[in-house]
Amino acid sequence: MAHSYVLIHLRDEDDSDELGALTAELDGSLYLVAFTGQSSAAEFVELRADLFGDDEVGGFIVDGETLLDYIAEGYGLLLNADLKSMCRVDSELVSDVLDELNLD
């Protein structure tokens, strides 16, 4: 929980000032996409330039507990997407962690 994570932010399509974090679908499951450092996030953006086009890509850093707040119900966590260090945490495990920490 003490580690910090980088989330890539996306603007809502309705042009409001609210920011959302990047999510992905993998093998039929939904995930919040997070990175274990700024260099990992930058590497992902370079690898997946097709996703972002010419748009400027931004991100923000959160601590572990705040990261859990960003995971919507039914979502897992995808760390370092598309990188050698990629790790998937399924939604059931995320739910168990939230229950254990009384953060749901």
Side-chain angles (χ1 to χ4, degrees):
M1 298 297 289
H3 190 72
S4 61
Y5 299 89
V6 176
L7 299 176
I8 293 176
H9 71 71
L10 303 172
R11 291 213 177 271
D12 286 341
E13 291 182 11
D14 63 3
D15 291 331
S16 73
D17 288 336
E18 292 185 29
L19 298 176
L22 181 66
T23 60
E25 183 176 345
L26 188 60
D27 298 331
S29 297
L30 298 171
Y31 295 90
L32 173 69
V33 177
F35 299 90
T36 55
Q38 292 179 353
S39 61
S40 296
E43 185 180 349
F44 171 78
V45 170
E46 282 185 32
L47 286 172
R48 298 305 305 261
D50 58 309
L51 291 176
F52 304 107
D54 293 333
D55 295 338
E56 184 176 324
V57 178
F60 54 102
I61 298 172
V62 296
D63 63 24
E65 188 170 337
T66 304
L67 175 70
L68 294 174
D69 289 339
Y70 276 89
I71 303 175
E73 186 174 334
Y75 278 68
L77 177 62
L78 186 60
L79 290 171
N80 298 328
D82 292 346
L83 306 179
K84 289 181 182 179
S85 59
M86 186 173 91
C87 176
R88 282 195 260 185
V89 181
D90 65 29
S91 61
E92 292 82 17
L93 181 56
V94 169
S95 180
D96 289 347
V97 169
L98 292 173
D99 288 346
E100 184 69 26
L101 296 174
N102 293 318
L103 295 175
D104 52 345

